[in-house]
Amino acid sequence: MKMSKRKTLGISLYILFVLVPIYWLLNMSFKTNEEILSSLTLWPQHFTLANYEVIFSDPSWYSGYINSMLYVSMNVVITLLVALPAAYAFSRYRFVGDKHLFFWLLTNRMAPPAVFLLPFFQLYSSVGLFDTHIAVALAHCLFNVPLAVWILEGFMSGVPREIDETAYIDGYSFPRFFVRIFLPMIRSGIGVTAFFTFMFSWVELLLARTLTSVEAKPIAAIMTRTVGAAGIDWGVLSAAGALTIIPGLLVIWFVRNHVAKGFALGRV
Amino acid sequence: MNKTENNKAWFLVLPVFVLVAFSAVIPLMTVVNYSVQDIFDQNNAYFVGAEWFREVLRDPRLHDSLLRQFIYSFAVLAIEIPLGIGVALMMPTKGRMASLCLILLAIPLLIPWNVVGTIWQIFGRGDIGLFGAALNGLGIDYNYASNPADAWATVLLIDVWHWTSLVALLCYSGLRAIPEAFYQAAEIDRASKWAVFRYIQLPRLKSVLVIGVLLRFMDSFMIYTEPFVLTGGGPGNSTTFLSQTLTKMAVGQFDLGPAAAFSLVYFLIVLLVSWLFFTTITHMDKAK
Amino acid sequence: MISWMAWTLPVAVFFSVIACILICMTVYEVRSPCVERRGFLPIATTRGDRLFIGLLSSAYVHLVFLGLTDLNLWIPLALSVIWLAVILRWG
């Protein structure tokens, strides 16, 4: 009992550490610029929704959210579609070059983005995809697919092989077995993977900014625009920042039980 | 698990291979091409051989930012991995509280990186930010904009704030995978808390920890956005990490050749470190 | 379409050689699958592992020569080829 109290205290302290800067962001988003820059106030003295009004009334702001959501969802779908069969192959079979292929996939997370931006820009321009959502979605696959394969492979290796074999003996074809039996068994893994791909695609800025100009400009890139002549519009910026958290919260809300239930498979 | 030998598995991997090869190999080839030429614009490029490599390898800027980068990445791992494990161990195991903790912990991960920088830019200021003001109030002379050590520590703190949750979430899902029977057996044996951690929990955490360590190493090694927003690499060069130096060269001065050579060297370094880590871990597995 | 990639002959040769090596190794592997074994390297390796180790260390050999000496690059290249052969045979 004493132990669990210490644990509760510890976790509460850590969560406090996590939340205080976020509170500060919310706090700023309800303040006027003068108040933000003039003094230290723990809560808004002149509570205002003006910052949010700016965002919801200006299409160049809210379209950023729509663009980001579009390419992020595309990315999650593409990533899961290609990563699921690949992860199955890695977890079940040995084939020529498997380990090296796996490592090569991982190396794609290591490339420093700064210099790769120009080739990326030119590659997607030359195939006519510049400034489309799909271009960003495809580019984000570069770092999300390896991660997805990696996480899914771990989950799939937790499923005993006997299940595959029994299903084949029962006359299931591979696609039917995969969709009807196997996927439901690893759905928590899919949830967790979807969360991670969503997250990394949602927060990435450099590639998304480089590959878009008007039509598909992501919210994070629009935010850098507020660094204008009159200095930074902190209020609007923090309101926009606060809003960027919401879609993520929704996603984590949907997968929370999957993470919480964990790899239920281990207990079967 | 013993796997069967089957080269038809390649068909399952093919989509991934094609997709990643398209966005990885073509740009990589282009960067290699850049690295051996002096590029003025689209039509004026001169072959210079290995000259850029020679130049960047002897450039003290590279050595400095490389050293800073290693120290930084090491510090990130040394803090975030133990802290993440600790947080995962302290989390409630079931019920509403567990879900709530998960959601709260995940929040920092979901904030776009430039917003993270923005938050801390104000939050850390001594006059109008809570964190800076609190430190100053405690009598610590803290100013991230003028004191290099403070700036460095702030970037590190941001990273801890931002990414420890990732390690914690990974460990948490790893911990939940441990069958209840293991704990019961440990209780019957009257194993101490430490023994439970050392012999039951830690071994089961290994696979998620490998993911965590590699991800944090790779990502912290090319950290760019947060220090860029927070301090722009300053004061002095204290928070100028590899990516900053690189971006300054490639975008700021349009020195594509040297920047490309630099990033290839950098890529080789990450490749080597990650490969060593990966191989060591997998071979430790086999030795058992 | 291709012009933006700024191709130069040496780089093209380099990537073709790498591609050739990979293709040859794959064919060789399919024809006669290799077993993992222990050579002078501290870990048991397959043929593919040795190739990777050889290529990565060759890259570092080149970097060392570039960084520390002004010697002609043909020297580290020759060294690397020998090293690659050694590591594939006895590594």
Side-chain angles (χ1 to χ4, degrees):
Chain A
M1 205 56 225
K2 210 169 122 202
M3 196 63 196
S4 84
K5 249 184 201 158
R6 278 221 320 258
K7 277 187 182 179
T8 316
L9 183 68
I11 192 76
S12 314
L13 278 178
Y14 184 76
I15 286 182
L16 191 70
F17 165 64
V18 166
L19 288 186
V20 168
I22 297 185
Y23 168 72
W24 208 251
L25 178 75
L26 282 175
N27 184 8
M28 284 201 295
S29 72
F30 292 116
K31 289 177 182 177
T32 57
N33 271 326
E34 293 76 54
E35 191 183 341
I36 292 174
L37 290 175
S38 61
S39 62
L40 175 78
T41 45
L42 289 178
W43 53 86
Q45 303 292 323
H46 309 282
F47 186 86
T48 171
L49 285 172
N51 298 320
Y52 287 95
E53 260 166 44
V54 171
I55 290 171
F56 284 114
S57 60
D58 184 349
S60 71
W61 271 108
Y62 64 74
S63 68
Y65 287 99
I66 300 171
N67 290 334
S68 293
M69 303 267 225
L70 270 175
Y71 73 69
V72 170
S73 8
M74 283 181 190
N75 174 262
V76 172
V77 173
I78 298 173
T79 305
L80 284 179
L81 281 182
V82 298
L84 278 168
Y88 182 79
F90 280 119
S91 80
R92 288 296 190 260
Y93 301 112
R94 250 180 299 131
F95 46 94
V96 173
D98 52 354
K99 273 185 281 166
H100 304 105
L101 184 65
F102 196 66
F103 188 72
W104 171 71
L105 283 176
L106 284 183
T107 60
N108 290 308
R109 283 194 73 91
M110 303 172 195
V115 177
F116 285 79
L117 290 179
L118 188 63
F120 258 113
F121 169 76
Q122 287 170 321
L123 172 64
Y124 283 97
S125 307
S126 73
V127 290
L129 285 177
F130 178 68
D131 203 15
T132 57
H133 301 98
I134 194 77
V136 186
L138 283 177
H140 283 181
C141 281
L142 183 66
F143 51 82
N144 267 343
V145 166
L147 184 72
V149 172
W150 200 5
I151 297 179
L152 285 173
E153 200 258 352
F155 276 95
M156 287 179 180
S157 300
V159 181
R161 276 195 73 85
E162 287 72 33
I163 290 178
D164 305 32
E165 279 148 18
T166 325
Y168 294 138
I169 293 168
D170 288 349
Y172 276 88
S173 66
F174 173 69
R176 208 164 137 238
F177 154 73
F178 198 71
V179 176
R180 299 289 291 280
I181 299 180
F182 199 68
L183 291 191
M185 292 200 67
I186 55 155
R187 61 179 184 279
S188 48
I190 297 176
V192 174
T193 315
F195 167 68
F196 278 115
T197 41
F198 173 90
M199 178 191 108
F200 278 111
S201 179
W202 180 255
V203 297
E204 205 278 342
L205 172 66
L206 277 177
L207 277 175
R209 192 174 61 184
T210 312
L211 292 177
T212 56
S213 64
V214 185
E215 290 298 314
K217 202 172 174 69
I219 180 64
I222 293 173
M223 290 177 66
T224 54
R225 191 195 57 177
T226 55
V227 188
I232 300 174
D233 192 345
W234 289 105
V236 176
L237 198 60
S238 29
L243 288 175
T244 57
I245 305 176
I246 294 173
L249 276 183
L250 289 178
V251 173
I252 185 78
W253 176 259
F254 282 120
V255 301
R256 76 189 187 285
N257 284 325
H258 292 305
V259 183
K261 261 188 276 167
F263 308 22
L265 308 159
R267 295 188 196 137
V268 176
Chain B
M1 182 175 306
N2 42 354
K3 305 175 181 178
T4 38
E5 187 89 41
N6 187 348
N7 282 327
K8 281 191 194 125
W10 258 102
F11 287 109
L12 296 174
V13 188
L14 204 62
V16 166
F17 181 74
V18 172
L19 186 69
V20 177
F22 175 73
S23 341
V25 177
I26 297 177
L28 179 70
M29 285 175 168
T30 313
V31 169
V32 177
N33 276 317
Y34 288 166
S35 72
V36 294
Q37 294 178 80
D38 195 352
I39 295 170
F40 295 105
D41 59 56
Q42 196 90 41
N43 304 314
N44 286 302
Y46 299 96
F47 184 74
V48 294
E51 206 42 53
W52 296 133
F53 285 93
R54 196 159 281 162
E55 191 176 289
V56 296
L57 281 173
R58 292 165 190 200
D59 188 344
R61 267 190 312 174
L62 171 74
H63 302 153
D64 289 355
S65 54
L66 186 65
L67 184 67
R68 263 197 298 277
Q69 190 64 63
F70 266 112
I71 297 172
Y72 179 76
S73 288
F74 184 76
V76 161
L77 288 179
I79 297 175
E80 288 178 14
I81 299 295
L83 187 61
I85 297 177
V87 169
L89 285 174
M90 288 189 298
M91 274 173 74
T93 44
K94 43 180 92 83
R96 273 165 196 282
M97 284 311 287
S99 309
L100 186 68
C101 282
L102 273 178
I103 294 171
L104 293 179
L105 280 180
I107 294 178
L109 298 173
L110 296 160
I111 306 177
W113 296 342
N114 55 334
V115 183
V116 172
T118 312
I119 296 176
W120 283 82
Q121 207 176 353
I122 290 281
F123 190 60
R125 276 189 35 183
D127 50 347
I128 55 174
L130 185 60
F131 178 67
L135 280 188
N136 285 340
L138 288 173
I140 304 165
D141 186 20
Y142 167 87
N143 186 341
Y144 72 80
S146 65
N147 183 335
D150 289 352
W152 196 85
T154 310
V155 174
L156 186 63
L157 182 68
I158 294 178
D159 205 278
V160 169
W161 175 79
H162 193 178
W163 289 110
T164 307
S165 301
L166 178 74
V167 183
L169 287 184
L170 284 171
C171 289
Y172 180 73
S173 60
L175 283 175
R176 292 290 78 75
I178 301 174
E180 204 59 38
F182 279 52
Y183 291 116
Q184 284 159 5
E187 211 162 309
I188 292 167
D189 290 347
R190 292 170 188 272
S192 66
K193 282 271 169 205
W194 168 249
V196 170
F197 174 70
R198 174 69 188 78
Y199 296 104
I200 298 179
Q201 292 172 323
L202 199 59
R204 283 292 185 124
L205 281 181
K206 212 182 68 189
S207 61
V208 283
L209 277 181
V210 173
I211 299 187
V213 169
L214 270 184
L215 276 184
R216 283 316 302 135
F217 172 71
M218 293 175 192
D219 291 351
S220 70
F221 212 74
M222 48 194 191
I223 181 170
Y224 173 75
T225 317
E226 291 93 336
F228 176 73
V229 175
L230 186 78
T231 59
N237 275 330
S238 58
T239 53
T240 305
F241 298 111
L242 277 177
S243 276
Q244 258 87 18
T245 319
L246 208 54
T247 314
K248 260 183 218 161
M249 283 161 79
V251 182
Q253 305 156 8
F254 204 70
D255 282 340
L256 271 184
F262 194 142
S263 63
L264 287 174
V265 173
Y266 176 130
F267 181 62
L268 281 175
I269 295 170
V270 187
L271 191 61
L272 180 69
V273 175
S274 308
W275 180 80
L276 282 176
F277 179 75
F278 202 72
T279 318
T280 324
I281 293 290
T282 37
H283 277 267
M284 266 161 52
D285 256 2
K286 269 185 212 157
K288 271 183 194 159
Chain C
M1 169 76 198
I2 307 275
S3 65
W4 61 266
M5 287 179 77
W7 278 108
T8 54
L9 187 64
V11 178
V13 171
F14 171 74
F15 276 109
S16 323
V17 170
I18 297 278
C20 276
I21 295 177
L22 284 181
I23 292 169
C24 293
M25 289 298 276
T26 312
V27 172
Y28 186 20
E29 184 71 36
V30 173
R31 283 277 178 82
S32 65
C34 84
V35 273
E36 208 170 72
R37 66 170 169 80
R38 182 78 189 270
F40 65 80
L41 290 169
I43 51 172
T45 49
T46 62
R47 215 182 279 144
D49 294 336
R50 289 194 291 276
L51 176 71
F52 177 79
I53 297 171
L55 287 177
L56 190 62
S57 47
S58 305
Y60 275 90
V61 167
H62 281 85
L63 289 186
V64 167
F65 268 79
L66 279 170
L68 301 178
T69 66
D70 282 320
L71 295 171
N72 195 305
L73 272 186
W74 292 107
I75 301 168
L77 184 65
L79 278 180
S80 297
V81 172
I82 298 169
W83 167 241
L84 202 57
V86 169
I87 211 169
L88 278 175
R89 179 68 189 80
W90 291 289

